[in-house]
Every structure is written in structure tokens, then in C-alpha cells.
Amino acid sequence: MNNLLVTGGCGFIGANFVRFLFEEAGFQGRVVNADLLTYAGNPLSLADIEAANPERYVFRRADICDRAAMERIMDEFQIDAVAHFAAESHVDRSIVAPDTFVRTNVLGTQTLLDLCRRRMDRLEVFHHVSTDEVYGTLGEEGYFLETTPYAPSSPYSASKAASDHLVRAYHHTYGLPVTISNCSNNYGPYQFPEKLVPLMILNAIEGKPLPVYGDGRNVRDWLHVADHCRAVWAIMTRGRRGETYNVGGRSERRNLEVVGRIIDLVEQLCPALPSGPRRDLITFVKDRPGHDWRYAIDCTKLESELGWSPRETFDSGMEDTVRWYLAHRDWVESVRTGEYTRWIEAHYGKRA
């Protein structure tokens, strides 16, 4: 891999992956970051990487659904590998506007696959980043395996399931060298503050309400984004082509437990609020439609085949994340646009 295209590289996981390539992976080739810069894309997340690597980091603002634009990028930079992160990813937004998710997640992925198919003579790998939500929901027991039947329950997860199927179809039909990863809930630096962890951190710091869906008992497996990036690179470089690998943090927690841990950390690291304990800020709001009960990943295949395992525990990863948001308030302010503020107020305000 000499010229690696990262789609959605200004988003949360994509930006962390680009940073990983330069700071940890030892990748010596060129990284081309293609991102449309929608509401969650922030080029400031990579400003220092761009400044330090002017010959090896390239940014292009582009829509993955724009065939001509993506074709120009692939030809101009002789792309020989793709790490496909670009996606609409917020379940709540998919309930409001499912058409956007179908366009980006399904049609955008198909556009990239087709362009890669026409350049198979130089393509090393097309890696598709997906989610555990394609598997649906679990009860109190059991885990998602790579062989678990798909049963998506939101427009978001349905669109990701469709894109997964397309990636597999291009491998089996055309021989495209692909790999797929399905990950559990990510958290860590540079995450847009509409997601649970950064929203709770920032609201707890500022003494704002902490909105929790339903009774807060829904369970998720939490994966630090740095561990996810290490897994993606292991799969791209050593994974078997045509295979799917589940990536989990082995850190199941109820949503209310996650919020409680964040509150405890903020109380330790920030001055007390004059209004009283931050736990009093927890506000239970009406549950969202079709809210899956539990996700849990079995990542044995990834661990046994590629030797990967998560380095971060839930406690170490969450403390690292809280400290990062406290130390990077300038980044936080850069993403707090009028659109973000209106979204939070309109969406959660209606559920209060």
C-alpha cells in the first residue's frame, strides 16, 4: 500500500485512524483523505498532521456519491488501497431523515466499489468499516459472531447492512480484495458531541441536563477508538481477503453506568457545581423508536487470527477521554456550530 484513500477522514473514527497511521502504525506511504465535511466532519482534527506531513497527507473535499470526483482522486493519486469510514452514523438522525443514510451508506459505498473494481490491477484491499448494529439486538445473554444473521432495526443499521452485503457481493462476483469489520460503540477523542459519551462529558462539565433514553438500562459494548484503529490496520494488512472480523472492547455497560462513570470522573477533575451534585443532572427522556436492548461482540476471531486485543479497559479509556475533552476546549468550540446547537435542542427537547 503506497497510496491509501481514507474516506470520511475528518470524522471521528476516520480522523483517529489517519492520526494512527502517522503516529503509531509506521505507514510510509501517502494518505489521501476524502471527506464532504458535513456537520460532523472537522478538518481541524488533523491540522497538525497536515502541517507536519505536507508531502504525505492530502485532503480533498469530495462526496463519495460523486463518481466523477472520486474517479479523479483515485486516478490522480494512483490509489491502491481504501479504508472506507465515510458514513452517516447517528441512529436518531436516521429516524428523522432515512433517505440521507441510504444515499451515503448504500449508494456511496457502491460507487466506491465500482471504481475500485475498474482498478483491480493495482488494488491491494478495500476495507469497509461497519457496525455491530447490523445484527439487531440481543437479550440478556449471547454475543454477536461474524456468522450471526443480519436483523437491522433502524434506518441507519439497515443502510449499513445493505452496504456490507454489497462489499461481499463485489468480492464474490468480481474478486475484489475486500475486508469488513463490524465494531461496537466507539468513544474517545475528536467525537462529535451529539453522541452519548462526549455529550455527557460536556454537559456534566457545564452543569447542563444529562439526557438518558428510557430507564438507561440498555447495554452496549464500549470500544476505545484507538483500539478500533489498531484493529482496522491489522485487518487491512494481515486479514484474509473476503473475511469479516468483529471488533469489540469486551466492556459491556448499561447506558446509566456509562453516564455514572463520566459523572464521577468529571467530579474528580472539575470544580464542584454550585447547584449541587452532577448526578442530579440526569434526566430520563422518552425512549427512541426501536431502541435495541443490548449489543455485545465476540471478537475471538480477530484475537486468534491476527493477535489483536483491546489495550484500553473501560475505566482507563473513559478517563483518557474525559481528560482529552477537558484539555481541548478549543476543538469543542470549533464544532459547536449553530446547526449542532439547534439539533440538540430540537431533538432532546421534544423528548423531555
Side-chain angles (χ1 to χ4, degrees):
M1 288 181 273
N2 295 310
N3 296 291
L4 172 57
L5 172 64
V6 178
T7 68
C10 290
F12 165 45
I13 306 176
N16 275 281
F17 183 71
V18 171
R19 301 188 72 87
F20 165 80
L21 291 173
F22 284 96
E23 297 173 349
E24 183 177 334
F27 179 65
Q28 296 301 310
R30 177 166 51 190
V31 177
V32 181
N33 176 5
D35 196 302
L36 186 56
L37 297 183
T38 55
Y39 72 95
N42 186 356
L44 292 178
S45 300
L46 294 169
D48 57 331
I49 296 294
E50 183 173 25
N53 302 276
E55 301 300 322
R56 294 181 49 234
Y57 174 80
V58 178
F59 172 73
R60 289 289 185 271
R61 186 173 186 177
D63 182 352
I64 60 171
C65 296
D66 186 336
R67 179 178 292 266
M70 298 309 301
E71 189 164 28
R72 285 194 297 270
I73 290 171
M74 287 191 174
D75 289 341
E76 178 182 356
F77 298 105
Q78 293 294 292
I79 297 300
D80 53 25
V82 178
H84 179 33
F85 292 88
E88 294 286 345
S89 65
H90 197 287
V91 174
D92 292 345
R93 286 180 180 263
S94 80
I95 294 170
V96 175
D99 53 331
T100 302
F101 284 69
V102 171
R103 179 183 183 275
T104 300
N105 298 351
V106 182
L107 298 180
T109 299
Q110 189 275 329
T111 297
L112 293 172
L113 288 167
D114 204 45
L115 291 172
C116 287
R117 178 174 70 89
R118 299 171 189 278
R119 293 158 178 79
M120 279 179 55
D121 58 326
R122 65 170 184 252
L123 186 72
E124 290 290 331
V125 64
F126 180 100
H127 181 75
H128 178 61
V129 179
S130 191
T131 172
D132 59 357
E133 296 188 40
V134 298
Y135 299 123
T137 186
L138 290 168
E140 294 291 343
E141 298 180 352
Y143 297 89
F144 293 137
L145 303 171
E146 287 83 359
T147 54
T148 299
Y150 277 27
S153 53
S154 71
Y156 161 60
S157 57
S159 67
K160 290 299 290 184
S163 64
D164 290 8
H165 290 321
L166 281 169
V167 175
R168 290 192 187 93
Y170 270 71
H171 172 71
H172 289 292
T173 303
Y174 305 112
L176 196 72
V178 308
T179 49
I180 300 173
S181 56
N182 293 86
C183 70
S184 57
N185 281 37
N186 278 220
Y187 68 98
Y190 300 104
Q191 188 170 24
F192 190 74
E194 70 178 358
K195 297 295 181 79
L196 178 68
V197 170
L199 178 65
M200 295 299 129
I201 292 172
L202 297 174
N203 281 14
I205 292 170
E206 298 165 4
K208 296 178 180 177
L210 306 176
V212 177
Y213 279 135
D215 59 7
R217 290 173 55 80
N218 299 72
V219 178
R220 298 294 182 263
D221 177 14
W222 293 92
L223 172 68
H224 193 280
V225 68
D227 282 325
H228 185 195
C229 292
R230 296 182 190 107
V232 168
W233 189 237
I235 295 166
M236 290 184 69
T237 54
R238 305 197 308 277
R240 289 181 289 146
R241 301 310 184 236
E243 290 292 317
T244 296
Y245 296 86
N246 282 348
V247 189
R250 298 197 180 279
S251 296
E252 284 186 63
R253 295 291 188 282
R254 297 192 184 279
N255 288 344
L256 200 55
E257 291 180 68
V258 175
V259 175
R261 180 58 181 150
I262 290 170
I263 291 172
D264 290 344
L265 287 165
V266 173
E267 292 280 26
Q268 294 172 21
L269 300 171
C270 296
L273 294 174
S275 57
R278 286 181 167 88
R279 284 189 178 269
D280 293 344
L281 299 172
I282 294 175
T283 305
F284 293 99
V285 300
K286 182 181 178 182
D287 212 350
R288 71 181 176 211
H291 195 181
D292 288 338
W293 172 248
R294 173 175 170 258
Y295 303 146
I297 284 280
D298 183 334
C299 49
T300 300
K301 178 179 177 179
L302 177 61
E303 292 171 335
S304 60
E305 285 193 16
L306 304 182
W308 174 93
S309 61
R311 296 181 187 175
E312 298 288 351
T313 65
F314 177 80
D315 286 337
S316 68
M318 200 58 69
E319 180 173 349
D320 170 79
T321 303
V322 172
R323 289 185 181 277
W324 188 90
Y325 278 95
L326 285 169
H328 293 82
R329 298 308 299 272
D330 54 340
W331 183 90
V332 171
E333 294 309 313
S334 75
V335 301
R336 280 182 154 171
T337 63
E339 178 182 319
Y340 161 73
T341 303
R342 287 191 297 272
W343 165 253
I344 295 297
E345 290 177 352
H347 190 72
Y348 289 109
K350 290 179 180 179
R351 295 183 181 277

